[in-house]
Amino acid sequence: MKLLSSAVLLFLVLGSALAYKSYSGYQVLKTAPLTAAAMPYVSRMSQRFDFWGTPGVGRPATVMVSPEEAPVVVAAFNRMRVSHEVLVADLGPQVETQRAEREALKVSSPRKPRTASYDRFMEFVEIDAHIHETADGNPAIASVLDLGFSYGGLEFHGLKLSNGQPGQKAVWFDCAIHAREWLSTPVCLRIIDEVVANPALRDLADWYILPVANPDGYDYSFTDDRFWRKTRRPTADANCPGTDPNRNFDFLWDAGNPTDYCSEVYPGTGAFSEPEVAAMGNFILDIADNLVLYVAVHSYGEMILYPYGHTVEPVPNVDQLIAAGTGTASADAIAAVAGTAYTVENSASGLYFTYGASDDFAYGRGAVEFAYTFELSAGGSGGFDPPASQIQPVVDEVWPGMLALVEYVLAN
């Protein structure tokens, strides 16, 4: 790979510096593994502060704090007697370094037509072009899903891959519903690559793949704010735009959710208030008669979560959900590649209580028998910002797990 000169790199960085949030002085704090007694307090804190990863009993919590928030969060941890450390003392330099690397890679390693890039993170416009190129180049098996427009006017698309057999069962994968979780999108792109190349996979099922479920937020995370999570639709608080799209689905919407507009998990003004979420949810309902597997790909946590997020009470087919996720199926297939151990857990007990989430909607409203959220590996300064060098290892180890899951579900 040809290296850019320092002068060119400096020009690229300065060209977008004015718009890009610096995160200068922001810290990333990491707690010791949490106790059951601490979890209720941490769950309440997570409604106000930006917790990363998957805090849970026996696992540490990671939280990003501004210079103003740091003493408040530290004092709260001290009151709870939760020991913690400063994982990143100043996030600003790391954000700048990663942005400079990304700009350099975009110039030195441009995407080739009809080819997904796995040596760098692709921007929304590149991903959308790749979807159309794949459909244009494979008209007998690929068709573009016209899902509609985002609040910001971006037309967003998924892809259907099928051999055209009538009455075929269907499987669904979506990625990047949380904007900053860039590592999820290459997983969806890898699924597209594999299914296009292998007719036997299309004989198994019709495949629906949505690489970017939150186009406005994803685009904004590249242009303005690396750690942006939500949509970009304004709220009643002009200083706090955006809704958490994974709390906006029409299933137990707002049950116990916060009404703080600035919260990272603000659920919106009503179920399906976000046009992107409504488009996605309604499409899932349209294909629900044939849909047997729903998978939302997130990062991070190395977990395979199954419904429900609002209760730890087991769902009727819990044994099948666990068997498909673990045993000889998905988690074992992932571990066989490089030894990464994914755990398989109920969403409420493994993550935290959630309402209006996409997998619960697919399971509870769409009657999709197998519904999961995959939390990928962590990376970078605190988990959400893995380097580009991590893309290929993650997609290489996760794809066998996805395939094993599909094969198990269709066989059972």
Side-chain angles (χ1 to χ4, degrees):
M1 182 185 297
K2 187 181 295 183
L3 296 177
L4 293 179
S5 70
S6 58
V8 173
L9 184 57
L10 179 62
F11 174 79
L12 290 171
V13 172
L14 291 178
S16 57
L18 293 178
Y20 207 75
K21 185 171 179 176
S22 73
Y23 284 94
S24 176
Y26 279 66
Q27 295 182 343
V28 180
L29 309 177
K30 184 178 182 179
T31 71
L34 297 170
T35 64
M39 271 307 299
Y41 301 100
V42 172
S43 294
R44 284 198 290 272
M45 289 177 66
S46 69
Q47 296 177 4
R48 177 181 176 190
F49 301 104
D50 193 358
F51 276 76
W52 292 359
T54 52
V57 176
R59 289 195 302 271
T62 304
V63 57
M64 179 179 68
V65 291
S66 68
E68 296 76 24
E69 293 170 333
V72 179
V73 172
V74 168
F77 285 155
N78 289 338
R79 285 195 302 272
M80 291 185 287
R81 294 184 173 85
V82 172
S83 60
H84 59 277
E85 62 176 324
V86 178
L87 192 62
V88 180
D90 186 355
L91 198 54
Q94 295 194 31
V95 170
E96 283 301 307
T97 298
Q98 291 170 2
R99 182 169 63 90
E101 177 195 51
R102 187 171 70 254
E103 294 291 345
L105 286 171
K106 186 167 67 172
V107 174
S108 63
S109 183
R111 184 185 68 87
K112 298 176 182 177
R114 298 185 185 175
T115 303
S117 295
Y118 297 105
D119 58 353
R120 64 179 178 85
F121 293 104
M122 291 168 59
E123 297 180 13
F124 176 76
V125 65
E126 296 177 292
I127 295 165
D128 200 55
H130 178 62
I131 289 171
H132 284 85
E133 290 165 2
T134 300
D136 291 343
N138 303 275
I141 63 169
S143 55
V144 174
L145 307 178
D146 293 313
L147 294 173
F149 289 86
S150 69
Y151 172 81
L154 291 175
E155 191 172 8
F156 69 112
H157 306 94
L159 199 63
K160 178 184 178 181
L161 300 172
S162 171
N163 279 345
Q165 299 176 13
Q168 187 98 297
K169 297 297 184 183
V171 296
W172 169 285
F173 296 85
D174 63 69
C175 296
I177 196 168
H178 287 147
R180 64 192 177 192
E181 296 173 14
W182 292 357
L183 193 57
S184 63
T185 293
V187 172
C188 273
L189 297 175
R190 175 62 177 272
I191 294 170
I192 291 172
D193 286 349
E194 295 285 348
V195 179
V196 167
N198 190 344
L201 296 180
R202 302 191 300 274
D203 285 340
L204 287 176
D206 291 342
W207 298 67
Y208 294 86
I209 304 107
L210 177 59
V212 179
N214 178 5
D216 290 349
Y218 185 83
D219 199 42
Y220 189 76
S221 70
F222 276 81
T223 61
D224 287 71
D225 186 343
R226 172 62 187 90
F227 296 112
W228 189 261
R229 168 185 166 100
K230 300 188 285 185
T231 65
R232 290 294 301 163
R233 187 170 181 264
T235 68
D237 186 336
N239 296 314
C240 297
T243 289
D244 182 349
N246 204 38
R247 302 294 184 276
N248 192 240
F249 283 83
D250 190 13
F251 183 79
L252 296 183
W253 176 84
D254 198 32
N257 266 338
T259 55
D260 178 5
Y261 301 115
C262 297
S263 170
E264 293 294 338
V265 291
Y266 170 64
T269 56
F272 285 170
S273 65
E274 306 309 288
E276 305 91 336
V277 177
M280 180 176 155
N282 287 325
F283 189 88
I284 289 171
L285 292 179
D286 286 344
I287 63 171
D289 287 347
N290 294 324
L291 193 60
V292 294
L293 173 66
Y294 171 88
V295 178
V297 186
H298 290 244
S299 72
Y300 60 94
E302 294 174 355
M303 305 173 75
I304 302 172
L305 303 169
Y306 58 84
Y308 281 118
H310 68 278
T311 177
V312 297
E313 291 297 317
V315 294
N317 67 328
V318 63
D319 290 340
Q320 281 190 304
L321 286 166
I322 294 171
T326 187
T328 58
S330 193
D332 275 8
I334 293 171
V337 176
T340 304
Y342 276 64
T343 60
V344 182
E345 303 182 53
N346 160 262
S347 290
S349 59
L351 187 56
Y352 36 66
F353 282 80
T354 57
Y355 304 87
S358 67
D359 55 349
D360 287 354
F361 168 81
Y363 185 88
R365 283 286 310 281
V368 181
E369 190 173 358
F370 292 85
Y372 298 91
T373 291
F374 270 67
E375 295 281 356
L376 303 174
S377 296
S381 58
F384 280 129
D385 55 341
S389 60
Q390 194 171 343
I391 298 172
Q392 194 69 58
V394 168
V395 298
D396 284 348
E397 73 174 3
V398 171
W399 162 245
M402 297 294 188
L403 177 57
L405 182 62
V406 170
E407 291 175 335
Y408 181 96
V409 167
L410 292 171
N412 289 274

